[in-house]
Amino acid sequence: MKIAIFNNDAKNSQMITQSLVASLEKNGLTIDNQHPDIVITVGGDGTLLGAFQHYVDQIDTIRFVGLHTGHLGFYTDWLSTELANLVSSLTHDNGQRVSYPLLDMTVVHESGEQYHFLALNEAAIKQPVGTLVADIYLGGQLFERFRGDGIAVATPTGSTAYNKANGGAVLHPKLSAIQMSEIASINNRVFRTLGSPLVVPKGEEIIVKPKSNHFLVMYDQSEIKGRHINELRLRVADKQVHFAAYRHVDFWQRVHRAFINDIES
Ligand code: NAP
């Protein structure tokens, strides 16, 4: 089995990576950062997002494992004190995995050219200066003319990130759906949006047609300038992201751990 390690720049992560490589090699596992079967990320959820985009062309065959160096994250299950346990799980690997939905974004240019992107957390269409004006189509029909800072469309695993800050619901990743949330929409007697997040099932599309070209399109940690973009089509991707499932961490436990842990009952 070939293993890649993808770490962030923190000194702690670099030291853990060194120990991990030594331990993997000692146990007869091969390090291959080009065409791995497993990608171990060392850092936080942000590091896993980086690894996902780095290996996005190989996600059909790759399984990810997240080892965190700070706090427990949504994509990072392993503590740096559990290296021996992790290496033992890798040596006994039998292909066990858990898969989660992804967001598919098609960017349609004025020229008619189309580009596809996959996101693990979300895509956001935002206008940094002035108001984003964009027509939003649902079910093939014009649904609303949005005015505000922007909109975000998140996967279920991304629902605990930017989406949550926008007042979106936390979605269990067994649901094959995407969620649109508004970022500071203008709602008054003249302008109106739905004003609440909405969830779209697999097979349906959210189409966003911005009315100017001063906007940015973010997907996970990346950014595209809005110039010459006519529309964005967002839907649940046909592909999924796979994680090596050596042990089960219940999704609601992750949510509890991340957001509620400190409250005494
Ligand atoms: P960052 O600004 O350095 O960190 C964003 C924070 O979001 C980090 O604490 C990160 O966890 C956490 N995070 C990432 N994915 C998550 C998930 N699925 N569930 C819960 N928390 C998550 O940016 P970054 O590390 O490059 O991550 C990019 C992400 O930041 C975007 O995909 C977006 O979701 C999020 N974001 C959030 C807001 C907001 O909440 N207002 C605004 C912009 C972007 P770690 O510390 O473990 O890495």
Side-chain angles (χ1 to χ4, degrees), residues 6-259:
F6 190 99
N7 59 287
N8 66 15
D9 291 339
K11 204 162 185 178
N12 191 18
S13 300
Q14 291 176 14
M15 280 162 55
I16 292 165
T17 298
Q18 277 178 8
S19 310
L20 185 59
V21 169
S23 181
L24 291 169
E25 286 176 337
K26 200 171 142 202
N27 282 276
L29 294 159
T30 311
I31 304 293
D32 181 343
N33 287 329
Q34 300 297 318
H35 301 288
D37 303 302
I38 299 257
V39 174
I40 303 176
T41 65
V42 182
D45 284 333
T47 315
L48 204 131
L49 287 176
F52 171 80
Q53 291 297 343
H54 183 83
Y55 289 103
V56 72
D57 295 335
Q58 299 180 56
I59 55 155
D60 284 340
T61 53
I62 282 177
R63 285 174 295 148
F64 291 91
V65 174
L67 193 145
H68 68 88
T69 49
H71 52 89
L72 282 162
F74 277 86
Y75 300 115
T76 52
D77 285 341
W78 294 83
L79 289 159
S80 53
T81 50
E82 295 178 306
L83 285 195
N85 204 342
L86 173 58
V87 173
S88 165
S89 298
L90 288 160
T91 54
H92 295 99
D93 180 272
N94 61 13
Q96 58 269 62
R97 68 182 194 180
V98 58
S99 305
Y100 300 131
L102 292 169
L103 173 72
D104 180 299
M105 175 172 73
T106 307
V107 175
V108 184
H109 278 236
E110 288 160 2
S111 62
E113 280 171 296
Q114 300 192 359
Y115 299 92
H116 271 277
F117 300 89
L118 288 177
L120 178 56
N121 264 359
E122 79 284 293
I125 296 109
K126 301 207 287 190
Q127 187 153 318
V129 179
T131 301
L132 172 76
V133 182
D135 284 343
I136 307 220
Y137 291 75
L138 292 173
Q141 308 277 335
L142 178 62
F143 182 74
E144 65 185 14
R145 174 158 289 185
F146 176 88
R147 283 182 173 83
D149 282 4
I151 60 147
V153 179
T155 64
T157 54
S159 68
T160 46
Y162 200 2
N163 167 77
K164 189 169 179 298
N166 300 334
V170 172
L171 230 61
H172 195 290
K174 276 191 185 156
L175 295 168
S176 213
I178 50 174
Q179 180 176 184
M180 184 176 97
S181 58
E182 301 180 351
I183 308 165
S185 58
I186 301 176
N187 269 292
N188 53 31
R189 276 181 301 174
V190 186
F191 304 128
R192 195 149 306 142
T193 64
L194 181 64
S196 70
L198 55 85
V199 177
V200 171
K202 187 167 183 160
E204 286 205 12
E205 226 170 24
I206 301 168
I207 300 176
V208 181
K209 295 189 184 186
K211 295 281 132 199
S212 78
N213 53 18
H214 307 304
F215 61 95
L216 297 172
V217 182
M218 339 281 288
Y219 61 103
D220 293 342
Q221 299 165 323
S222 304
E223 174 188 312
I224 311 167
K225 294 217 165 35
R227 263 189 319 239
H228 310 304
I229 292 177
N230 251 5
E231 66 180 52
L232 300 120
R233 297 173 168 263
L234 302 131
R235 62 183 186 87
V236 177
D238 296 330
K239 293 182 184 222
Q240 291 197 308
V241 61
H242 312 298
F243 288 81
Y246 298 133
R247 59 186 181 192
H248 176 68
V249 184
D250 180 71
F251 177 70
W252 298 120
Q253 272 306 310
R254 285 176 207 269
V255 177
H256 176 86
R257 205 172 57 189
F259 298 111

